[in-house]
Amino acid sequence: MRPDAPLAWAALLGEARTRVDAGVPLEVRGTLTRLTGLVLEAVGIRVPVGSQCWIGAPGDKPVLAEVVGFAGDRAFLMPAGDIQGLSSGASVVPAAPYVPPPALGAAPRPAPGPGVLRLPLGDGLLGRVVDAQGFALDHAGALLGVAAQPMGRRQINAMDRDPVREPLDTGVRAINALLTVGRGQRLGLFAGSGVGKSVLLGMMARYTQADVIVVGLIGERGREVKEFIEDILGPEGRRRAVVVAAPADAPPLLRMQGAAYATAVAEHFRDKGRHVLLLMDSLTRYAMAQREIALAIGEPPATKGYPPSCFAKLPQLVERSGNGLNGVGSITAFYTVLSEGDDQQDPIADAARAILDGHIVLSRSLAEAGHFPAIDIEQSASRVMHNVIPRTHMERARRFRALYSRYQKSRDLVQVGAYMAGSDPELDEAIRLLPAMERFLQQDMFESASMAQSTSALAAVLES
């Protein structure tokens, strides 16, 4: 034994006592043991679900991943980036919360200590385009006036929310007059692909009366991001907007994180007393991302391949919008819902219809006929409309819908000449007013119709 061994041991023990007394956490490291599809498995690390970890060998660029489940001593992680180059035995180290640097592609440096995900929130996000991790995508410099805050929020007591009582002007005539939206309401735009959901969202982004607009482009084509900002929002709309983009080629974890981040940004501005318009395209892609993650970690499929966790995640996301505490601020949310094969009984569409405060259905047959916006008035409904408009407006809207529906039911008879005028006075009036009703329902995407103009036009149609 070396003569100075007792002194070395004493120094080592003293250093250990100092670290324990100071509360310095010991670094926890795990080992990557398996990679199957989208799931990474690690052993030797115990961190809570939702924690961020860095995975990689010394000298290699680490990959950020999130803990999404565990089984015994195995932790399941989903990567938030490219996993090319990972190998068995790579180290898994808990990552501290961080605010990503402004330069796109620059990897944040790992830091010790596990923690929940924190992303930048603040007024500095206005006018900016960021991805699901808070990276600036618009090459406009660093994000200023922001602070790293956790994505998880406490649920709002339902008794502390103000009911929806105030109408919201969307600038779309058919919606203002026949499907009136209330401030703080949550609606779904239901349609198949290529029917005009994104264009209708763009109209509402330009013309809706809101202090802040938050746009979440989740799982859609990357081409649409720049087009939405330049062609639809424009310079005026962009100044009061925050765009969070997680396109279709992003990992499923980032697509889910993008939806949660967009909602957190909207909550931040609502809590400051502002009226926020949240546009999310689309809720279906969010559910599909959850399906990919759940199936990858072994959750059994239920309805049409969707595991039960998908239907549990939807209300958790949607319920975060709405009116704030005691009437301070609001989030009026529009979620697009992709009906696969134009099937309105698609499981995600059916689940979303049940948890939202209304649904606007877009018809492919109307779109193919050049009718824009292709809103199917018969299948659409706003559940708060009767609470936010006068009785006279409500009666006119009911009368319009009744006449329009009456004609649609007898459309084939009228078109083949089998109907004899005078047989049904209600249908006779519907036939007479049909041209005026169809002109009322159509609107150019660059045309705005205020609430007053919409109600006046509705009265003019019925009294013509």
Side-chain angles (χ1 to χ4, degrees):
M1 179 180 293
R2 293 171 50 188
D4 59 345
L7 295 176
W9 276 108
L12 183 61
L13 289 174
E15 181 181 351
R17 289 193 184 95
T18 302
R19 290 174 61 88
V20 171
D21 294 340
V24 177
L26 299 177
E27 185 179 77
V28 179
R29 284 182 177 268
T31 304
L32 183 65
T33 59
R34 186 178 180 185
L35 192 163
T36 306
L38 300 174
V39 181
L40 306 172
E41 292 187 18
V43 297
I45 185 169
R46 293 190 178 183
V47 289
V49 172
S51 298
Q52 306 282 300
C53 293
W54 291 102
I55 304 176
D60 295 338
K61 181 180 178 180
V63 176
L64 187 65
E66 181 176 315
V67 179
V68 295
F70 56 86
D73 60 347
R74 293 178 299 153
F76 300 140
L77 302 98
M78 293 293 293
D82 188 8
I83 59 175
Q84 193 72 24
L86 285 183
S87 61
S88 178
S91 63
V92 182
V93 182
Y98 68 94
V99 176
L104 179 62
R109 291 180 296 178
V116 296
L117 177 67
R118 294 173 182 262
L119 292 177
L121 296 175
D123 290 355
L125 290 173
L126 287 173
R128 303 302 300 269
V129 183
V130 296
D131 69 3
Q133 293 180 289
F135 289 94
L137 298 176
D138 50 11
H139 307 292
L143 294 175
L144 304 176
V146 297
Q149 297 184 30
M151 293 298 96
R153 296 292 185 97
R154 293 182 58 185
Q155 294 180 350
I156 298 179
N157 187 332
M159 294 301 295
D160 293 335
R161 288 185 187 266
D162 272 9
V164 179
R165 291 287 185 266
E166 182 182 348
L168 179 69
D169 189 348
T170 64
V172 181
R173 186 165 49 243
I175 296 178
N176 282 345
L178 304 175
L179 303 165
T180 311
V181 177
R183 194 178 292 280
Q185 187 177 357
R186 299 160 296 194
L187 287 98
L189 297 181
F190 293 74
S193 57
V195 183
K197 300 186 301 297
S198 299
V199 178
L200 183 57
L201 275 185
M203 290 181 65
M204 290 186 286
R206 280 196 304 270
Y207 306 132
T208 299
Q209 296 179 348
D211 301 326
V212 177
I213 301 170
V214 179
V215 182
L217 301 176
I218 310 300
E220 296 299 321
R221 295 176 290 273
R223 170 186 62 82
E224 293 182 340
V225 177
K226 192 169 185 179
E227 290 183 1
F228 191 95
I229 294 167
E230 295 183 353
D231 301 338
I232 296 178
L233 279 180
E236 182 64 30
R238 184 173 175 180
R239 279 194 286 270
R240 59 180 179 133
V242 181
V243 179
V244 179
D249 60 346
L253 180 67
L254 291 188
R255 278 177 267 147
M256 290 195 64
Q257 187 172 302
Y261 186 24
T263 305
V265 172
E267 289 176 315
H268 167 80
F269 288 108
R270 178 189 62 188
D271 294 345
K272 298 184 70 173
R274 302 190 191 181
H275 296 299
V276 183
L277 176 65
L278 173 62
L279 306 175
M280 191 169 295
D281 188 12
S282 71
L283 193 64
T284 305
R285 304 300 186 194
Y286 171 82
M288 287 180 174
Q290 171 60 21
R291 176 174 65 179
E292 292 179 42
I293 294 175
L295 293 178
I297 63 176
E299 187 177 348
T303 307
K304 288 190 177 181
Y306 287 96
S309 62
C310 288
F311 303 101
K313 287 283 186 181
L314 288 177
Q316 291 176 6
L317 179 72
V318 170
E319 284 294 326
R320 293 170 62 178
S321 56
N323 287 328
L325 291 171
N326 302 314
V328 178
S330 66
I331 300 176
T332 305
F334 287 88
Y335 301 92
T336 65
V337 181
L338 180 64
S339 303
E340 297 185 4
D342 293 326
D343 180 14
Q344 295 301 319
Q345 304 307 315
D346 175 83
I348 296 300
D350 196 47
R353 192 182 297 108
I355 60 178
L356 293 170
D357 302 325
H359 50 276
I360 299 173
V361 179
L362 303 185
S363 166
R364 186 173 298 277
S365 60
L366 289 175
E368 291 172 348
H371 186 291
F372 182 83
I375 299 175
D376 189 331
I377 295 299
E378 294 180 281
Q379 295 191 59
S380 304
S382 172
R383 296 181 181 176
V384 304
M385 181 176 177
H386 61 282
N387 292 330
V388 298
I389 59 173
R391 182 180 295 273
T392 53
H393 181 178
M394 192 70 190
E395 292 300 326
R396 286 171 181 160
R398 286 176 179 171
R399 180 62 176 162
F400 186 104
R401 293 169 67 102
L403 290 172
Y404 188 81
S405 179
R406 186 70 185 87
Y407 175 82
Q408 295 301 326
K409 291 178 180 178
S410 305
R411 184 186 188 94
D412 294 340
L413 289 175
V414 175
Q415 288 183 340
V416 300
Y419 173 71
M420 182 178 296
S423 303
D424 185 346
E426 187 84 0
L427 181 55
D428 290 339
E429 185 177 4
I431 295 173
R432 181 178 65 85
L433 294 178
L434 180 66
M437 288 192 292
E438 289 186 335
R439 286 194 301 270
F440 174 84
L441 293 174
Q442 297 184 54
Q443 183 177 337
D444 186 82
M445 63 179 295
F446 296 106
E447 173 192 356
S448 173
S450 67
M451 181 69 73
Q453 292 171 338
S454 301
T455 54
S456 298
L458 175 64
V461 169
L462 296 177
E463 294 169 2
S464 60

